[in-house]
Amino acid sequence: SNFDAIVFIEYPGLKNKYFNQLIKNGFRNLYLVVSESPIVKPDNLDVKNHKYFKKVLTWSDDLVDNKKYFKLNYTFKQPDNANFNLKEKEKLCVSIAGNKHIKNQNELYSERISAIRWFEKNHPEDFDLYGLGWDKIHFQGKILGFNLARLNRFGFLTKFLAPRYPSYRGPVKSKKETLKKYKFAICYENATGFNGYITEKIFDCFFAGCVPVYLGAPNITEHIPAEAFIDKRKFKTYEELYGYMKNMPESDYLNYIKAIKNFLSGDKFYPFSIEALIELFTKQIL
């Protein structure tokens, strides 16, 4: 009964009883934070839904106008202990990701699987896979009106029918401790085609001193220096990408590491810092 403003994390929808009541009562000091990808929550970026909010904080560069829409990045504590010990590099390449599936033209889940399967078939000695769900099958869709997702409750069945991934090494206790053992990491966002959608995935690699092979935000180089990562779009095939990584001179690899260090310690990291998040909230909401 006594508040100055309300911030919703992701668009709540009119079925949300709190949001619905606020609208009915004519309360207008509402703010929206958009962090999820539109393939998971498409109503987040529907501008018709934004009419209820005084301001929207979003990753979407296409919406930002610094009037109603303000840039919100995934944010992190600026590291003072990023690991760059090259002697700990035991293997060439790794992928740490959950096994997920969404039918959408912008999804990258299937491209991630393509990368995994290519390495397993052609160079299994140089690749490991970690994450959740790779030892299970995820039922979805319907058959004769039956919702197949109901079968996911039967753990023995999801494991028995799961496709086999020979590169799978299980879940990880620490991304940093795992990533630091590899020179490169397959670092794909869950979605592509959305300017400014840059999540924690590439930063997980940076903090571990692992060079990411990135695919995701089309305008990634507007936010992160091109010298700090390998842009997957520059390689037509995985054979070409593998050859580039496998035969990379040590001096070139050290240049990537140097670029990562410079980015993490320089001014370009500030928009991704916790301090930037605090500044954004204090200026636009508090």
Side-chain angles (χ1 to χ4, degrees), residues 8-23 32 41 43-44 49 52-53:
F8 283 94
I9 311 298
E10 318 298 359
Y11 178 67
L14 293 175
K15 292 183 179 180
N16 181 292
K17 63 179 182 179
Y18 303 108
F19 184 55
N20 191 278
Q21 190 64 45
L22 289 163
I23 299 303
L32 177 64
K41 197 162 177 26
D43 57 356
N44 256 351
N49 295 332
Y52 305 107
F53 301 95

Side-chain angles (χ1 to χ4, degrees), residues 58-277:
T58 174
W59 50 260
S60 176
D61 291 344
D62 296 333
L63 287 178
V64 171
D65 59 7
N66 292 320
K67 296 177 181 178
K68 181 183 177 77
Y69 297 92
F70 297 84
K71 179 66 176 181
L72 173 72
N73 289 303
Y74 277 66
T75 54
F76 313 88
K77 179 181 178 182
Q78 192 158 25
D80 52 11
N81 61 341
N83 189 296
F84 296 99
N85 187 356
L86 301 187
K87 293 181 180 180
E88 296 187 41
K89 306 295 181 186
E90 300 174 359
K91 211 164 185 178
L92 184 72
C93 191
V94 67
S95 177
I96 301 177
N99 185 14
K100 300 178 182 179
H101 304 274
I102 290 181
K103 290 184 178 180
N104 187 285
Q105 63 179 358
N106 294 102
E107 58 86 18
L108 284 177
Y109 300 117
S110 56
E111 184 60 34
R112 190 180 291 140
I113 291 176
S114 295
I116 293 166
R117 289 307 196 191
W118 186 91
F119 275 97
E120 289 181 338
K121 179 181 179 181
N122 296 281
H123 295 284
E125 73 283 359
D126 281 328
F127 180 79
D128 289 329
L129 169 65
Y130 293 88
L132 298 175
W134 297 101
D135 56 345
K136 300 178 182 179
I137 188 172
H138 182 74
F139 294 101
Q140 57 185 350
K142 293 184 178 181
I143 294 181
L144 300 176
F146 177 76
N147 187 359
L148 294 176
R150 294 180 180 178
L151 298 175
N152 291 319
R153 72 183 71 174
F154 301 108
F156 71 93
L157 186 62
T158 61
K159 287 197 172 186
F160 179 74
L161 297 176
R164 185 170 177 270
Y165 289 90
S167 63
Y168 183 53
R169 305 291 179 257
V172 294
K173 293 182 179 180
S174 167
K175 286 184 180 181
K176 185 176 181 179
E177 290 302 308
T178 301
L179 285 166
K180 73 179 185 180
K181 299 176 182 179
Y182 297 83
K183 293 182 70 176
F184 305 98
I186 299 298
C187 177
Y188 297 173
E189 303 286 6
N190 294 336
T192 187
F194 304 107
N195 287 324
Y197 183 64
I198 304 167
T199 68
E200 81 289 345
K201 295 175 178 61
I202 194 169
F203 288 90
D204 288 338
C205 296
F206 288 161
F207 298 154
C210 180
V211 177
V213 179
Y214 183 84
L215 188 61
N219 67 337
I220 179 69
T221 55
E222 293 180 16
H223 300 277
I224 296 176
E227 299 79 17
F229 65 94
I230 297 173
D231 192 334
K232 171 59 177 62
R233 295 174 297 182
K234 294 182 179 180
F235 301 88
K236 295 181 180 179
T237 66
Y238 280 104
E239 183 70 43
E240 185 181 343
L241 173 63
Y242 173 79
Y244 179 75
M245 293 189 297
K246 185 70 174 179
N247 302 310
M248 182 179 293
E250 182 178 357
S251 58
D252 289 355
Y253 187 78
L254 291 175
N255 284 336
Y256 279 110
I257 295 298
K258 181 180 178 181
I260 292 172
K261 288 181 178 180
N262 290 340
F263 170 66
L264 293 180
S265 62
D267 294 339
K268 289 186 177 180
F269 179 80
Y270 181 77
F272 298 95
S273 68
I274 292 175
E275 290 77 15
L277 177 66

